[in-house]
Amino acid sequence: MKAITVTPGKADAAQIEDIDEPAESDGPVLVETLAVGICGTDAEINAGDYGWAPPGHARLVLGHESIGRVKEAPSGSGLAAGDYVVGIVRRPDPEPCYSCAVGEWDFCRNGKYTEHGIKELDGFMRERYRAQPDALVKVDPSLGELGVLLEPTSVVAKAWDETWKMGNRATWRPRTAVVTGAGPIGLLAALIGKQKGLEVHVIDQVSDGLKPELVGALGATYHTGSIEEACESPDVVIECTGVASLVFDAIEHVGSGGVVCLTGVSSAHRIEVDAGMVNREMVLQNEAVVGSVNANRRHYELAADALAQADHDWLAKLVNRRVAMGNFSEALSRKPEDVKVVIEINK
Ligand code: BGC
């Protein structure tokens, strides 16, 4: 079968190749992949800056944002042929650490977790894969292939869950939220913010096109300036860019008792900050700053609910470029108007 593979550590090594059918030992559920989304992590892996091949192999099948359809599932597994499913990206470490032992692999304590398409486990850019039933999440059939948005939504569902928990360490009546970045993660974070009944402000650099349109369609407000200009003392900032200066702007401008949730993975970038003032601000304002990565099954389920409740036409607009598997390199090179680009498999 065909797969898109990369050589971790080597730049621009993505290629389409024939690989073996999935091993029975991977699990009793056989899934036919329909589409795989591309995100910044895939770009980093293809640039040779991130990613690990399975032990003993040089190449890794890319892809961690998937939607597929069950072809075979054992009875009693809760899954049946035809179900739309998403593969959970991270698998618990083998020990397991105390977090992985209770299904909180997103908090893996020893770093020995694996991730499909990222760390030591082949990803979903292949025509078929096998999995254990508990490594799959069923998606509302009304979403169909839009279920490809479940994995990025799980990441922001976790970010909001963390934020809510932080906020509720005291009586909390949040009203406003700022989301930095109007890429897929920012837009999905804004979607959940609106579903929570907040006044949501989204900041990005572009002044026209699909991003402002999608923000407006959510009933949120789009801005191109600073956090301070977008909203005075927001209760929440969900930082989705990883841009170092924005991280410190968020800490400086979040309101008293507010929560800043960091979801962007930055590359090394030195900036000058007044560390004393940052500390003073955080202490005197009871601020919480929380970093959030990955998602466990509970977050996938929260995300599945968020997507099921969302306007499906809005979700469909988010996926604004679809590329056939054979033209995968077009999907891996970013265009300025891209929001979510997906590679279609088995089409
Ligand atoms: C994925 C996460 C993963 C993280 C770090 C992100 O792109 O969505 O599932 O944990 O990369 O590898």
Side-chain angles (χ1 to χ4, degrees), residues 39 41 50 64 89-90 115 118 151 155 293-294:
C39 83
T41 303
Y50 193 59
H64 59 279
V89 175
R90 191 177 285 195
E115 288 181 342
I118 302 175
E151 196 279 341
V155 167
V293 71
N294 195 254

Side-chain angles (χ1 to χ4, degrees), residues 29-35 67-72 83 85 124 126-130 345-346:
V29 187
L30 179 65
V31 181
E32 182 178 70
T33 312
L34 297 173
I67 180 72
R69 274 192 113 158
V70 173
K71 290 210 75 158
E72 291 169 24
D83 283 348
V85 286
F124 303 115
R126 46 181 160 152
E127 290 177 294
R128 285 169 289 285
Y129 69 93
R130 282 187 171 275
I345 319 258
N346 284 303

